Structure formats: C-alpha cells, structure tokens
Amino acid sequence: MASIVDAFEESLQDNHAIFKIVLYTIPLYYSIHLLMEKISSGYFVFIAVMTSILLLGFALKCSQNVRSGQNAVLPSFNIFGVFFEGLKGIIALLPMLIISVIVEHFASEMLANYFSDMLLNVFIWIISGLCASLVYTAYILYAKRFKITDAYNFGLISKYCVDILLAVIFMKIKLIFIDLLLLLPVTYVIWLFFGIPHPIAIFFWCLIGVFNLAMIGHYLSQVGYEIIEVSENDD
C-alpha cells in the first residue's frame, strides 16, 4: 500500500535534499511576494505561470525518479531542465484538464435542471472528483515514461480512475496531518519572535509547499505502480 511516510522520508534522504527544496522554493516565494505587494498584474501573471511550469516539472521528475527506481527522488539543481520537463508536462496534460473542466461544467449544468440545491451540490462534488481523477490518472500514466500518448490511454484511465481517486483522497488526508506536524510548531516559534505574517514565515510555508510536491510526486508514483502496473501484470 502506498505510504506517505516513505514519501516523506525518501524525499529528505537525497544528497543535498534541503538545498534542492530551498532552490525550488525561491521562485514560489517570489511569486507570493509579488502577489502580496500587488505588483503589476502582467508581470505577476508571467512569473506565476513560469513558476507553475517549473513546479509541475519538479513534481513530475519526482514521480519519474521513483517509478524508474532512481537513487534520488528530487530532481537535479538544473532548473532549466526541470522547467523544460514541466513545459512538456503542460503540453501533455493541459488537454485532459480542459476536457475534464468541460465535462464537469456541462454535467453540472444538466443536473441543475433535475435536482434541488442540496442534492445538486452532492452530485457536483462527485462529478468534480471523477473529473479530477481523469487528470490524476493521466498524470500518473504520463510520469512513467514522459510519453504524451500514455496520458491518453483512455482504456487504462477509465479502468483505474476511481481507484486513483480514492488513493488521492487518502493521500490528501495523510498530507494534512504531516503538514500540521511540520507547520504548527515552526510557525508558532516564528510568530513568537517575528510576528505573522513575516517573510521568514512566508518562505517557510512556501518551502513546505514545495516539499509537499515532492511527497505528492513520490506518492502518486507508488499509487501508479500498485494500482495500474501490478494489476496489468497480473492480468
């Protein structure tokens, strides 16, 4: 069974793991700084998009490294190579994301004609989860070999997306507990000495966000192996 503890420990056991996480935290912190300072929207959007692509590449490389049995979980210090992988990931996964959003929108619009607000909200949550599971499954399939065609293997996506959704829900619950253990004590100390918000606190929160991406990439790779690869080999 996929283990968030393994994802936590192995993401920190790389050589220079802390330095790598700090390196990829800097662009995220800068984006948050621009947002808080209300810097010109065009420049902020550009930096935010570049940062998002970089961090997608970061997560994808973590997933691929685990899936291919590499000694390291985290990507290298070569942020340009990681950015390029993130750009390829956007090209590979954005169409699936758009398809999922369109399906969710039209399904919600259709159901709105037949159900009350309470039931409608329940169905919207279910539809949103299922549509999100399409993207997660496509991500897992793509991250194995970085082949765009893998992300659109609709046979595997339809077969395993519900199992992937359940695994992702459990992953998020586990991450909440880990984040609480990491965030609360350190944030409390920062609050005592510097107050909140403070640049140190914001940088630390961004650092935990990047570390979360490493754990998510690791965990999704485990899920892909256990749910898809093992099942396909058994068949």
Side-chain angles (χ1 to χ4, degrees):
M1 184 175 180
S3 169
I4 198 68
V5 174
D6 288 347
F8 176 91
E9 292 178 346
E10 293 178 14
S11 296
L12 287 177
Q13 288 173 355
D14 285 8
N15 290 330
H16 313 299
I18 298 299
F19 296 105
K20 290 180 180 179
I21 294 172
V22 168
L23 174 65
Y24 289 94
T25 298
I26 292 171
L28 178 59
Y29 172 77
Y30 184 57
S31 298
I32 299 299
H33 170 74
L34 294 179
L35 178 63
M36 296 181 66
E37 294 295 323
K38 299 181 181 178
I39 305 299
S40 62
S41 59
Y43 180 66
F44 164 72
V45 170
F46 172 77
I47 295 298
V49 169
M50 295 298 102
T51 300
S52 299
I53 294 172
L54 176 66
L55 294 181
L56 174 61
F58 178 87
L60 283 167
K61 286 299 295 180
C62 290
S63 295
Q64 188 196 45
N65 287 343
V66 174
R67 194 70 176 273
S68 59
Q70 299 294 321
N71 292 328
V73 173
L74 302 179
S76 69
F77 287 102
N78 180 7
I79 62 172
F80 299 104
V82 174
F83 179 86
F84 181 67
E85 296 297 352
L87 191 59
K88 290 197 299 182
I90 287 287
I91 295 171
L93 299 173
L94 186 59
M96 180 61 77
L97 178 61
I98 293 173
I99 291 170
S100 299
V101 170
I102 292 173
V103 170
E104 180 182 350
H105 173 74
F106 281 103
S108 300
E109 289 288 324
M110 184 177 64
L111 290 174
N113 298 321
Y114 299 100
F115 297 100
S116 63
D117 289 344
M118 183 177 295
L119 282 175
L120 179 62
N121 289 333
V122 173
F123 281 114
I124 287 176
W125 274 97
I126 295 172
I127 292 169
S128 298
L130 290 174
C131 289
S133 72
L134 302 179
V135 180
Y136 281 116
T137 309
Y139 170 98
I140 288 170
L141 293 171
Y142 173 74
K144 181 180 179 181
R145 298 186 298 175
F146 283 5
K147 290 183 63 176
I148 293 178
T149 53
D150 288 347
Y152 296 90
N153 187 331
F154 290 103
L156 293 180
I157 290 173
S158 61
K159 185 176 181 180
Y160 295 109
C161 66
V162 175
D163 293 330
I164 297 293
L165 174 61
L166 294 175
V168 167
I169 291 172
F170 282 114
M171 175 192 73
K172 291 181 177 180
I173 293 172
K174 295 171 185 177
L175 274 176
I176 288 172
F177 286 104
I178 287 181
D179 285 345
L180 288 175
L181 291 174
L182 293 173
L183 287 168
L184 289 180
V186 178
T187 300
Y188 177 70
V189 172
I190 295 172
W191 174 70
L192 285 178
F193 287 96
F194 303 103
I196 299 292
H198 189 276
I200 294 176
I202 296 170
F203 189 87
F204 174 69
W205 297 335
C206 291
L207 186 143
I208 296 300
V210 172
F211 183 51
N212 268 240
L213 288 178
M215 289 191 290
I216 289 170
H218 190 300
Y219 193 93
L220 289 179
S221 185
Q222 294 180 64
V223 168
Y225 175 78
E226 294 178 1
I227 292 180
I228 299 177
E229 193 164 330
V230 171
S231 297
E232 291 299 301
N233 290 337
D234 289 343
D235 292 343

